[in-house]
Amino acid sequence: MPTWLVIIIVIAAILVVGAAAWFVIEGQRRRRLRETFGPEYDRAVKEHESPREAERELSSRVKRHSDLDIRPLPETTKDRYAQEWALIQEQFVDRPSGAVVEADRVLVSLMAERGYPTEGYDQQLADLSVRHANALRHYRAGHDTLVRHRESEMSTEDMREAMKHYREVFEDLLTDAGEGAESHGKQATGNRGNGTRRGDDGTARRGSDR
């Protein structure tokens, strides 16, 4: 067999192996992004012109997140936030919209306490998506209700739904993606014995308010 033919065969084999390796690496990278971002992966693909563009965006989020000093909360801080959240939910009886505003404020404060930058809502979503992707739909829903309420007054039931969404984000952030969420959720939403009754969303209710 001529030497030049051997060289061509070797080069072709190298290209084939290289292409196969590239596809394997790309497949692994895509799988990691899907596992990391969950539904946010599909959302990013819809928002960009191609999956590759979306994956570049998501990879940049991971890179930015790795540079952040994200830290767990000590138990005393968790307890303080849980108590503050319980007070906000009690305020819902008399001031539904005010309680939702306070819930939004506490979430931003909790983000900062964990080490997340809070310079803007869109950036908050991007940063949270790396470790709290499953809670983002709740954050969007609660925030959207609050924005709409500022433009046109929303009903008490709309405010109650916003509180439910915000509570999901609160518990996820407080316990770091659900770790220990059940115990802290009970503390944050439990009845404090003040004569009020709580619905499934954890907000206080009185009398026949069902």
Side-chain angles (χ1 to χ4, degrees), residues 53-84:
E53 287 286 336
E55 288 168 4
R56 275 200 287 266
E57 159 67 18
L58 296 177
S59 295
S60 70
R61 295 187 196 181
V62 174
K63 173 65 170 61
R64 173 182 163 90
H65 191 279
S66 68
D67 293 332
L68 300 177
D69 181 22
I70 307 301
R71 49 195 175 271
L73 298 177
E75 289 302 317
T76 54
T77 304
K78 289 182 180 180
D79 291 342
R80 172 168 57 83
Y81 272 102
Q83 292 166 10
E84 186 173 1

Side-chain angles (χ1 to χ4, degrees), residues 44-133:
V45 169
K46 289 180 180 179
E47 291 178 349
H48 291 76
E49 294 182 356
S50 69
R52 188 175 299 277
E53 287 286 336
E55 288 168 4
R56 275 200 287 266
E57 159 67 18
L58 296 177
S59 295
S60 70
R61 295 187 196 181
V62 174
K63 173 65 170 61
R64 173 182 163 90
H65 191 279
S66 68
D67 293 332
L68 300 177
D69 181 22
I70 307 301
R71 49 195 175 271
L73 298 177
E75 289 302 317
T76 54
T77 304
K78 289 182 180 180
D79 291 342
R80 172 168 57 83
Y81 272 102
Q83 292 166 10
E84 186 173 1
W85 189 264
L87 290 174
I88 291 172
Q89 290 182 150
E90 289 175 3
Q91 293 171 12
F92 187 89
V93 175
D94 299 314
R95 298 174 57 247
S97 60
V100 174
V101 170
E102 281 297 293
D104 186 85
R105 178 192 63 77
V106 168
L107 281 184
V108 174
S109 175
L110 182 54
M111 291 176 208
E113 193 100 38
R114 292 293 311 275
Y116 287 100
T118 57
E119 63 263 28
Y121 172 68
D122 289 338
Q123 189 61 59
Q124 290 169 17
L125 291 176
D127 291 337
L128 290 174
S129 68
V130 179
R131 286 175 62 173
H132 301 276

